[in-house]
Amino acid sequence: MIHIYLCEDDNRQLTRWKNTVEKYLLMNSTESQLYCAASSPAELLSIRKKSTVIGLYFLDIDLQSDKNGIELAQEIRKYDPRGYIVFVTTHSEMAVLTFRYKVEAMDFIVKDEIKTLPDRICDCIKNAENNYKTQLNASNRLLSVKVDKTSLIFDQDDIVAITTCEENHKIMIHTKNGVRQMAGSLKELNAILNSTFFQCSRSVIVNLRHVLKYSKEDAVLTMDNKETYNVSIRMMGKLQKALKQI
Amino acid sequence: MTYLIYTLTGGLCIYFSSVHLLPNKLTNARKLCIFMYAFGSLFLFNRIYGQASTYITFVGILLLIYIFAKEPYLNMAFYLFGYLYTIAFNYLFMWAAGFILQMDMQDLLTHDMLNVIFSITYSIYCGISTKFIGWYIHKKLNITQYLTNPHLLKAIFIDLFILVFFYIFNFSYGEYLGYNFGVIALNGIIFLLLFAITVYLMYSIYKATMGEQANKHRMAQFESLRLYTERLETSYGIMRKFKHDYMNILSTMSGYMEEDNMDGLMKYYGDRVLPISHAFAESDTKLGALSNIKNTALKSLLSSKFIYSMEIGIKAEIELTESIETIPIDALDLSRIIGIFMDNAIEAATETKEKELIFCMFRKDEDLYIIIRNTSPALDHPVSALPGQGVSSKGMNRGIGLYNVAMILGNYDNANWNTTYEEPYFTQEIILKPNVT
């Protein structure tokens, strides 16, 4: 079940949003419900604090208040770290990447395009509901790594390999389509990773599910993202065994 | 035995002074090759020709470096410098040893035991000190990036070459005449002086080039700020024109309302008012967001890159929702990194149909995020291999950019660098934590 929250300072627009959402909920059989339609950030927050259910938030950016939409979203994140945030804003206030990175916003709706607004709102509700369902299924595979105060969440199946960084004390997480650096050590991670991971040399842990080819002669693993890793001689026997089990 | 040790340490000294100072890293096989040559030529020819054999060693190594190194003149100049350094300090050490032991040079050179000890100590000193100097020059001063003018490089090379030539001539001739304390002392003084002059010369060239660079940089910065102001003035002009129109629009609308002409009002709104708001979003007003960046160097860099990318038809977006006042790493380092990222992004974006580019900078908690995302054709290499030296999608001798970024960021513990490619977007992220000092 998802609770839907709205926040928009212009009452006329707020009513429009509210009608759209109510109509959607009526037409579709869903557990979601419209929980709060607020015209100020303080109002929304006071209601949010009392609830523990995951939320879907439609927020305006320019709220004519002490907080703008982004700050409100950051505040919401404290109480609902996994909630779905959608910014509804004018074209000139749009900052897609900023929203996505700063508060992990799910989507953005451009206010200026009045005709498509109701459809876009409905799409967002649908997406949030679908995502919520898959999240429930995937939750046992997730790897949560604590970095300073915040924690990063990876799906373990997406990780191809974890290596140490040459220059400084950081580790690099290689996924199918990128690399992320973070502070930490392989030892710490090895303890929380599941059994498909295998440390093939002092500085490399690989996910055996992503191994494309293992060439025994040169002791090299080829991964499905074109990366290659050397296997230390000590680990060759163990690796053979581990590969068979997968 | 003494002869073997003597030539071995001599070979080592020459090896250290040549290899440790080179800006280009050599493979182990090549290093071994240089060492074997230095040792071999000394061992074979020193017995026959005396000090004059140094010519053979010296010219041979120059040739080897010329063949091995990517930038021959630069590397040969560094080798010569290292050679001068070892000889000058060899004299200094010899003189000091003679002074401490109260011995004549002639005795010192013919005394086997002392000679061996001296050679070994000196080669150890040489190995350590050249390693340190090499590290200091290349890692700290990063001198090679300023020495790009080929004429200057050749001039430095010739200057050093002549100096070394005379050095060797001097001491091989000295051997022929027979050493005595006076000659050694005189030689020592001349060599040290020449060495000091060379170092001073190098230093002033370094300073001059640095100054020139800084000046060029300032001019470029000034130029791009001027362009930026020009753009802002144009967009201010558009705004003023709109202000003027907007009164007209309002009065027309109120006219429709007075007539109670709803259809006319709707038509007027759809045809005249809506398009204006769209036109606004597309105009130069985007650049105005850069006013949130308080660092001038960064602002001018970004404005020039954006003006350029808009001119060549890239759909560029700038997202700066809050003002950026302090940067936790050196601003010039950050400018270099962003410059490299932007150049790559512009180049990749032009190769795609969508031609999109977004730059975004914001604070999350205490951390400063810098994100550059662009549409890019599919990559040939895994993302993690991109910062490798010489890895590039653009053919040979390219791809130094991201390698430089890796070098710069390697110096900072508070910086994290993430790269992703998710069809069709390529994204570079830099996350800077506040300095813990």
Side-chain angles (χ1 to χ4, degrees), chain B residues 144-183:
Chain B
T144 46
Q145 62 169 316
Y146 301 106
L147 293 173
T148 45
N149 183 341
H151 295 293
L152 188 70
L153 270 180
K154 272 187 196 154
I156 293 176
F157 169 71
I158 290 168
D159 166 64
L160 287 170
F161 184 81
I162 291 172
L163 263 180
V164 172
F165 193 82
F166 277 115
Y167 269 32
I168 300 174
F169 178 74
N170 184 309
F171 61 64
S172 53
Y173 196 60
E175 188 188 44
Y176 171 71
L177 287 178
Y179 285 113
N180 61 43
F181 191 73
V183 172

Side-chain angles (χ1 to χ4, degrees), chain A residues 2 17 24 59 64-65 70 75 84 103 105 149 163 167 172 194 200 216:
Chain A
I2 301 177
W17 297 9
Y24 172 87
L59 309 176
Q64 307 286 346
S65 163
I70 304 177
E75 194 73 19
Y84 304 97
V103 291
K149 291 150 282 173
T163 59
E167 288 95 16
M172 298 173 60
N194 62 30
C200 65
K216 231 195 286 180

Side-chain angles (χ1 to χ4, degrees), chain A residues 128-157:
Chain A
E129 283 171 344
N130 288 339
N131 186 284
Y132 181 64
K133 275 180 206 141
T134 41
Q135 285 289 330
L136 283 181
N137 296 331
S139 55
N140 51 353
R141 286 204 312 267
L142 296 182
L143 167 70
S144 152
V145 186
K146 206 143 172 67
V147 183
D148 302 335
K149 291 150 282 173
T150 53
S151 57
L152 286 172
I153 295 167
F154 293 93
D155 188 332
Q156 297 209 19
D157 286 355

Side-chain angles (χ1 to χ4, degrees), chain A residues 91 95-98 100-102 104 148 150 167-168 170 174 177-182 225-227, chain B residues 281 319 322 360 362-364 371 373 379 382 384 412-413 415-422 429 433:
Chain A
H91 196 102
V96 178
L97 276 186
T98 313
R100 189 161 281 155
Y101 277 89
K102 202 161 176 174
E104 286 155 64
D148 302 335
T150 53
E167 288 95 16
N168 38 34
K170 282 181 198 150
H174 301 243
N177 37 30
V179 271
R180 289 193 73 97
Q181 278 184 348
M182 54 190 241
N225 65 348
K226 296 186 220 154
E227 291 175 341
Chain B
E319 294 180 7
E322 54 203 288
C360 142
F362 59 87
R363 269 178 209 288
K364 181 177 173 181
I371 295 160
R373 168 173 293 181
L379 309 174
S384 58
Y412 293 101
D413 277 337
N416 279 348
W417 174 20
N418 305 327
T419 310
T420 47
Y421 178 73
E422 281 162 21
E429 278 172 57
K433 296 193 169 33

